[in-house]
Amino acid sequence: MQEIELKFLVPESRLKGLMRQTHVKSSQVMQLAAHYYDTDDQKLAKAGIGLRIRKEGDNWVQTIKAGGDGIVARLEHNALLDNEHVQTMLDNNALIPDLTIYQDTPIAAILDDFKIKKLSNQLTPLYVTDVQRTTRLLVDKTSNDSDYGSGNLPENKIEVAYDQGQIIHGNDHTQRDTIQEIEFELISGDVDFLFTTAKTWCKRYKLCLSTVTKAERGGLLIKEQRYSQAVGADLSQMSIHKKMSKPAFVRAAVHNCLLQILPNSSAIVAGSTDHEHILQFQTGIKRLLTAITAFADFSDEINPDWQPILQQTTALLDDYRELTYLANHVEAELQAYDSPATDWTTDIKLLKISPMDAVKANDFQLTLLELIAFTMSDPELEPQGNERTIDKLTQILSEQYERLIDLDSVKEADSIDSLYNQLERLRYVSEFCAPLFGKKSSKKKAKRRLKHLVKAHKALKKYHAHTQYHQRYVLKAGTESNALYGTGWFAAMLEKEDKGIQKRLDKVKESAI
């Protein structure tokens, strides 16, 4: 079966109030002791699969999970085990999952890439979780109205589960990680009820979305890492076709952007200040902004309020990302050439907002929920449901192309941002659209044009970044003479890069639409 659930991290400041809502008379408390399994080299984790045996009350249950149809949907199969058999295995320190359970079940396909017998022999317990789970059911009272009462539709019902406990290393019990999270799982009814409820709780208790599963956290504990690696754009995960309607296409584009945004935002709200997490998060936001502006008339459900919140969130991270990059990367490079050290520590400390603060902001978290709900809504219910995307794309691409500034303006400081933004939007729109050009000749041209676009965008992105760094060193030199070296360095770099960028842009201009 497929489960649809939303998971949130709980801020310490809101914990007491949230627990008053989860620990009510009707709630149930259960101790969950779970043993997670994988191969030593974590083949299952790399395939996005989680495998565990967990004691739930008086019963032992074997569960396998994998990616499902959607951002918050996961495939799940639960099998009740024989308690006596499990106890015997525990007594002999030989508790291991039985993979033959999945033969002739809908979940069997996720193990197609493995040889079951060989995999079974390679499984080992990597970590355990010791969690106290408090659950309560939330039922939509309006679901007792005529439609629901007549039995035409299932009752809207959500299980709220608050988990508090630890993840413990399987071979070293001194290595532990704390669990404090809340999940909202749709038991039955309309997915809109799930998102409406989650938004209410998110607003009240300042919850933060997290896509990191307990299995992922256990894997990180084994590798002695705090956060998963940053996630970049992966257009191969964007499922589109030539006959796709406009509402379906823009949902696919937004979904693809969220696949990049959510893992990186999850790391940031958990405390990561890693440059790559912030960079990929911002890139995902820029791609998303391109999608909801370029394809704004593809759907009536695109909320115009999303754009300013997304723009503000990524803008709040600019100063931190640039300054920490200068301090941690650029300075090391300059000092390798005998540059005197420039201290950016004070500048970073003076920043009023941290990456965590920006991403945890309630209006941004609520926007993420609305965007996920948008990708899961039915495109066929929209008025444009019968309008094909392909009929509009050539016009959109042509308009984006024509907005590019004249190439001579690269040297004008006040137009670099504008040129960079125009080229970036053109690249992202082209990447979203390219798979829809089905004819061989069209595919060739689209591929060639996209190749030139990507190269030009990367070159201008580097030039744009160096322009920003140069400006920072110029300002810094007003109070710290050591920064003069960096000022000269980036001035020389910009002069050198200018000609190369013009060549890249010439190829973009000459390439066929």
Side-chain angles (χ1 to χ4, degrees), residues 1-3 50 52-54 56 60-65 75-81 101-102 105 107 185:
M1 64 176 287
Q2 183 165 265
E3 62 173 4
R52 74 176 182 227
I53 295 177
R54 185 168 75 179
E56 302 178 4
W60 285 92
V61 179
Q62 181 175 309
T63 299
I64 191 168
K65 291 188 179 187
L75 295 172
E76 178 178 334
H77 183 280
N78 296 300
L80 195 64
L81 302 179
I101 288 174
Y102 307 119
T105 69
I107 205 80
E185 182 179 353

Side-chain angles (χ1 to χ4, degrees), residues 175-391:
Q175 294 189 49
R176 299 172 178 234
D177 193 13
T178 301
I179 297 172
Q180 188 169 287
E181 57 193 30
I182 189 166
E183 297 175 1
F184 298 81
E185 182 179 353
L186 183 66
I187 303 301
S188 62
D190 193 342
V191 72
D192 284 345
F193 179 56
L194 173 68
F195 282 98
T196 301
T197 304
K199 282 177 65 179
T200 300
W201 283 61
C202 183
K203 192 171 184 178
R204 185 179 301 163
Y205 301 111
K206 311 303 179 191
L207 305 177
C208 294
L209 271 164
S210 176
T211 59
V212 185
T213 65
K214 292 182 180 68
E216 280 184 78
R217 291 182 63 182
L220 291 171
L221 184 67
I222 295 296
K223 292 183 284 188
E224 298 183 358
Q225 297 174 358
R226 290 195 64 189
Y227 314 106
S228 298
Q229 286 188 335
V231 175
D234 184 357
L235 287 154
S236 69
Q237 294 186 329
M238 187 172 168
S239 180
I240 56 176
H241 54 83
K242 283 195 296 181
K243 295 183 179 180
M244 180 174 269
S245 70
K246 292 198 292 187
F249 175 80
V250 70
R251 281 167 172 78
V254 171
H255 177 271
N256 188 260
C257 296
L258 289 173
L259 290 177
Q260 181 179 8
I261 294 167
L262 289 168
N264 295 304
S265 68
S266 297
I268 293 169
V269 298
S272 174
T273 56
D274 181 72
H275 174 79
E276 199 62 24
H277 280 133
I278 297 170
L279 178 63
Q280 292 301 333
F281 171 79
Q282 288 186 300
T283 302
I285 296 288
K286 289 178 182 178
R287 293 177 64 238
L288 177 58
L289 283 165
T290 299
I292 62 176
T293 51
F295 313 123
D297 63 349
F298 282 26
S299 170
D300 292 341
E301 292 185 25
I302 292 177
N303 187 342
D305 292 338
W306 294 341
Q307 186 173 339
I309 293 170
L310 293 169
Q311 287 173 332
Q312 180 189 42
T313 303
T314 187
L316 287 170
L317 297 173
D318 282 340
D319 285 340
Y320 184 91
R321 178 177 55 79
E322 286 184 10
L323 287 170
T324 53
Y325 189 77
L326 290 176
N328 300 328
H329 299 277
V330 172
E331 273 300 305
E333 185 177 354
L334 295 185
Q335 287 170 41
Y337 290 94
D338 298 323
S339 163
T342 302
D343 186 8
W344 296 98
T345 307
T346 303
D347 303 73
I348 295 170
K349 286 182 178 179
L350 288 174
L351 293 176
K352 295 180 180 179
I353 193 163
S354 70
M356 183 191 291
D357 293 333
V359 180
K360 286 175 71 174
N362 204 226
D363 56 354
F364 176 69
Q365 291 294 321
L366 291 170
T367 298
L368 282 182
L369 281 173
E370 291 180 9
L371 285 160
I372 297 169
F374 170 68
T375 65
M376 298 184 71
S377 60
D378 190 349
E380 294 183 7
L381 298 178
E382 293 210 48
Q384 303 97 319
N386 295 323
E387 298 178 23
R388 294 198 316 163
T389 303
I390 196 74
D391 299 332

Side-chain angles (χ1 to χ4, degrees), residues 145-180:
D145 293 346
S146 57
D147 282 344
Y148 293 97
S150 63
N152 293 334
L153 293 169
E155 186 176 48
N156 286 336
K157 191 182 295 183
I158 294 169
E159 181 184 77
V160 181
Y162 170 65
D163 288 348
Q164 188 173 29
Q166 292 182 319
I167 300 174
I168 307 164
H169 195 294
N171 299 317
D172 182 0
H173 290 185
T174 64
Q175 294 189 49
R176 299 172 178 234
D177 193 13
T178 301
I179 297 172
Q180 188 169 287

Side-chain angles (χ1 to χ4, degrees), residues 488-499:
W489 172 276
F490 281 110
M493 291 288 285
L494 291 170
E495 187 70 27
K496 181 181 177 182
E497 293 167 357
D498 183 69
K499 291 181 181 178

Side-chain angles (χ1 to χ4, degrees), residues 75-95:
L75 295 172
E76 178 178 334
H77 183 280
N78 296 300
L80 195 64
L81 302 179
D82 181 271
N83 283 359
E84 290 187 11
H85 181 59
V86 171
Q87 192 57 54
T88 300
M89 286 193 289
L90 282 170
D91 292 341
N92 292 294
N93 197 27
L95 183 62

Side-chain angles (χ1 to χ4, degrees), residues 20-24 26-28 134-138 158-162 201:
R20 282 195 293 270
Q21 288 297 317
T22 55
H23 294 65
V24 296
S26 60
S27 65
Q28 296 182 338
T134 305
T135 61
R136 64 171 291 195
L137 287 177
L138 298 178
I158 294 169
E159 181 184 77
V160 181
Y162 170 65
W201 283 61

